[in-house]
Amino acid sequence: MVSGTPLPVRVLTDADHGGRWTSLTAGGREWLWHRDEPRRGAVRPGDPFADAGGLEECVPTVRGLPDHGDAWSRPWRRAGQEDVVECPDFRLTRRIRERENAVVADYTLAAEPGYRFVWAAHALLALSEAARIGAVGPAVTRLYPDEGDRWTAGVWPAVDGVPLDRLGPDDGSAVGAVVLTPRVAVHDGADTLHLSVEADDQPVAVALWRNLGGFPQDAPYRSIGVEPMLGRVFDRAAADDGDTAVVPPTGEVAWRLTVTATRRP
């Protein structure tokens, strides 16, 4: 990891539209990528995903049904210092704090004991082609070369010849990956964004969506997702035992997302 001067991190969210993070800034830099998507403001539960960028809360799945989960398409409500969304099978509570130079988001999901789910902080980042992703390795990595559920196992940073840590030049490819690590650093120029996830007794990982102009086929564009997650797969329906979060007998799962940023001189 590259060291640097810590920067204060600030976040804005939109409770009316899925609790979406609309801004993540540090040292005057906006880290979240955005895209004009007219459908985003009018989505309803069950609608296909409307990719407007930002950071979407994807739970209880990313791929599969419902598309990108149940929470992103529902209005959230404010309860004191927390945001809450009620979904058919669970309630998700989130508290975001700007603490010193970090943004800390604490989550609690309440559901029937035994409920299996995947959560991802689906962050699409505004990055140059020279940006790189750093992860403490060797980290087991699952590469999804298409939109199916089959993955190929390898070791970070390259799986099947795909240099997952490199985010350019754009070459018309699009792959997903799940890196079995709790933290990553995204380096772009002098700036680095650090993301980490922690949860007691639950599997954690970081998902990567490396779309270098290969998706969608009819009108491709570049988009880079770096997504701390609970679970180790994109689709909970295709998960093996141990690859999803599981609600314990207490009826609740708690986890924390931490975001910091640094800048080299």
Side-chain angles (χ1 to χ4, degrees):
M1 301 294 180
V2 176
S3 61
T5 301
L7 301 172
V9 183
R10 300 292 180 260
V11 63
L12 296 175
T13 62
D14 183 353
D16 291 336
H17 298 93
R20 177 171 170 253
W21 299 34
T22 56
S23 178
L24 180 66
T25 58
R29 174 177 180 151
E30 175 60 67
W31 279 96
L32 294 180
W33 171 86
H34 297 87
R35 173 175 173 267
D36 183 24
E37 173 48 90
R39 295 182 299 121
R40 182 63 185 88
V43 295
R44 296 293 182 268
D47 284 354
F49 187 60
D51 186 9
L55 185 157
E56 302 278 15
E57 302 282 3
C58 294
V59 59
T61 194
V62 182
R63 294 182 179 177
L65 297 174
D67 187 9
H68 283 69
D70 239 339
W72 75 274
S73 59
R74 297 175 183 271
W76 294 37
R77 62 181 172 85
R78 190 72 174 170
Q81 295 183 319
E82 298 177 334
D83 295 312
V84 182
V85 61
E86 302 280 353
C87 295
D89 297 327
F90 62 89
R91 180 180 70 252
L92 180 65
T93 302
R94 179 187 71 191
R95 181 183 180 188
I96 299 178
R97 291 168 291 167
E98 295 173 354
R99 195 168 66 184
E100 295 181 349
N101 289 318
V103 164
V104 178
D106 287 309
Y107 296 81
T108 303
L109 183 141
E112 289 294 322
Y115 182 71
R116 300 167 73 242
F117 70 95
V118 170
W119 163 84
H122 183 69
L124 293 170
L125 302 181
L127 302 172
S128 73
E129 292 187 358
R132 298 289 183 267
I133 298 176
V136 177
V140 174
T141 302
R142 298 172 172 182
L143 175 70
Y144 292 76
D146 52 39
E147 287 208 73
D149 298 324
R150 295 183 178 180
W151 46 266
T152 300
V155 177
W156 180 267
V159 181
D160 266 9
V162 180
L164 294 169
D165 60 329
R166 297 178 178 271
L167 303 177
D170 291 351
D171 58 9
S173 65
V175 298
V178 175
V179 188
L180 305 193
T181 180
R183 62 185 60 87
V184 294
V186 184
H187 310 292
D188 196 9
D191 294 327
T192 299
L193 188 70
H194 308 264
L195 304 108
S196 66
V197 59
E198 51 190 309
D200 292 338
D201 303 319
Q202 302 289 346
V204 297
V206 177
L208 172 65
W209 172 236
R210 185 178 179 272
N211 176 22
L212 304 184
F215 176 87
Q217 289 188 353
D218 57 342
Y221 52 86
R222 172 185 170 88
S223 59
I224 304 296
V226 182
E227 310 172 23
M229 69 187 307
L230 261 61
R232 297 171 180 156
V233 291
F234 286 110
D235 187 351
R236 66 168 179 165
D240 294 328
D241 288 346
D243 281 344
T244 68
V246 180
V247 176
T250 60
E252 292 187 344
V253 174
W255 66 95
R256 171 173 287 182
L257 168 66
T258 303
V259 183
T260 61
T262 54
R263 176 171 291 161
R264 299 195 316 271

mmCIF file of all heavy atoms in Angstrom, residues 29 188-192 262-265:
data_model
loop_
_atom_site.group_PDB
_atom_site.id
_atom_site.type_symbol
_atom_site.label_atom_id
_atom_site.label_comp_id
_atom_site.label_asym_id
_atom_site.label_seq_id
_atom_site.Cartn_x
_atom_site.Cartn_y
_atom_site.Cartn_z
ATOM 1 N N ARG A 29 -11.580 16.089 -4.412
ATOM 2 C CA ARG A 29 -11.798 15.120 -5.488
ATOM 3 C C ARG A 29 -13.104 14.361 -5.259
ATOM 4 O O ARG A 29 -13.353 13.853 -4.174
ATOM 5 C CB ARG A 29 -10.647 14.122 -5.553
ATOM 6 C CG ARG A 29 -10.911 13.001 -6.560
ATOM 7 C CD ARG A 29 -9.746 12.061 -6.690
ATOM 8 N NE ARG A 29 -10.050 11.015 -7.659
ATOM 9 C CZ ARG A 29 -9.155 10.385 -8.399
ATOM 10 N NH1 ARG A 29 -7.877 10.697 -8.273
ATOM 11 N NH2 ARG A 29 -9.525 9.447 -9.246
ATOM 12 N N ASP A 188 -4.954 6.333 -7.865
ATOM 13 C CA ASP A 188 -5.143 7.068 -9.106
ATOM 14 C C ASP A 188 -4.389 8.384 -8.996
ATOM 15 O O ASP A 188 -4.792 9.290 -8.263
ATOM 16 C CB ASP A 188 -6.631 7.316 -9.358
ATOM 17 C CG ASP A 188 -6.917 7.728 -10.798
ATOM 18 O OD1 ASP A 188 -5.998 7.663 -11.633
ATOM 19 O OD2 ASP A 188 -8.069 8.118 -11.084
ATOM 20 N N GLY A 189 -3.266 8.469 -9.703
ATOM 21 C CA GLY A 189 -2.408 9.631 -9.570
ATOM 22 C C GLY A 189 -1.845 9.708 -8.164
ATOM 23 O O GLY A 189 -1.380 8.706 -7.604
ATOM 24 N N ALA A 190 -1.910 10.883 -7.552
ATOM 25 C CA ALA A 190 -1.390 11.059 -6.196
ATOM 26 C C ALA A 190 -2.384 10.626 -5.130
ATOM 27 O O ALA A 190 -2.047 10.587 -3.945
ATOM 28 C CB ALA A 190 -1.017 12.523 -5.970
ATOM 29 N N ASP A 191 -3.605 10.274 -5.537
ATOM 30 C CA ASP A 191 -4.673 9.987 -4.589
ATOM 31 C C ASP A 191 -4.903 8.490 -4.431
ATOM 32 O O ASP A 191 -4.795 7.725 -5.394
ATOM 33 C CB ASP A 191 -5.981 10.637 -5.040
ATOM 34 C CG ASP A 191 -5.916 12.153 -5.024
ATOM 35 O OD1 ASP A 191 -5.207 12.698 -4.157
ATOM 36 O OD2 ASP A 191 -6.557 12.789 -5.879
ATOM 37 N N THR A 192 -5.261 8.107 -3.209
ATOM 38 C CA THR A 192 -5.606 6.712 -2.924
ATOM 39 C C THR A 192 -6.864 6.682 -2.070
ATOM 40 O O THR A 192 -6.975 7.402 -1.076
ATOM 41 C CB THR A 192 -4.470 5.991 -2.177
ATOM 42 O OG1 THR A 192 -3.293 5.985 -2.995
ATOM 43 C CG2 THR A 192 -4.859 4.544 -1.868
ATOM 44 N N THR A 262 -6.010 9.125 1.080
ATOM 45 C CA THR A 262 -4.704 9.751 1.298
ATOM 46 C C THR A 262 -4.229 10.382 -0.010
ATOM 47 O O THR A 262 -4.716 10.051 -1.098
ATOM 48 C CB THR A 262 -3.653 8.726 1.781
ATOM 49 O OG1 THR A 262 -3.602 7.631 0.859
ATOM 50 C CG2 THR A 262 -3.995 8.219 3.151
ATOM 51 N N ARG A 263 -3.256 11.285 0.122
ATOM 52 C CA ARG A 263 -2.675 11.929 -1.049
ATOM 53 C C ARG A 263 -1.168 12.049 -0.870
ATOM 54 O O ARG A 263 -0.693 12.492 0.176
ATOM 55 C CB ARG A 263 -3.295 13.305 -1.271
ATOM 56 C CG ARG A 263 -2.676 14.095 -2.431
ATOM 57 C CD ARG A 263 -3.506 15.356 -2.704
ATOM 58 N NE ARG A 263 -4.816 14.996 -3.259
ATOM 59 C CZ ARG A 263 -5.872 15.825 -3.262
ATOM 60 N NH1 ARG A 263 -5.778 17.024 -2.724
ATOM 61 N NH2 ARG A 263 -7.003 15.446 -3.812
ATOM 62 N N ARG A 264 -0.426 11.635 -1.911
ATOM 63 C CA ARG A 264 1.025 11.793 -1.883
ATOM 64 C C ARG A 264 1.396 13.229 -2.245
ATOM 65 O O ARG A 264 0.659 13.902 -2.978
ATOM 66 C CB ARG A 264 1.696 10.849 -2.894
ATOM 67 C CG ARG A 264 1.464 9.379 -2.645
ATOM 68 C CD ARG A 264 2.442 8.538 -3.461
ATOM 69 N NE ARG A 264 2.587 9.011 -4.829
ATOM 70 C CZ ARG A 264 1.821 8.608 -5.847
ATOM 71 N NH1 ARG A 264 0.838 7.753 -5.640
ATOM 72 N NH2 ARG A 264 2.017 9.068 -7.074
ATOM 73 N N PRO A 265 2.508 13.701 -1.736
ATOM 74 C CA PRO A 265 2.966 15.055 -2.093
ATOM 75 C C PRO A 265 3.194 15.182 -3.594
ATOM 76 O O PRO A 265 3.560 14.231 -4.254
ATOM 77 C CB PRO A 265 4.273 15.202 -1.320
ATOM 78 C CG PRO A 265 4.203 14.209 -0.239
ATOM 79 C CD PRO A 265 3.402 13.047 -0.773
#
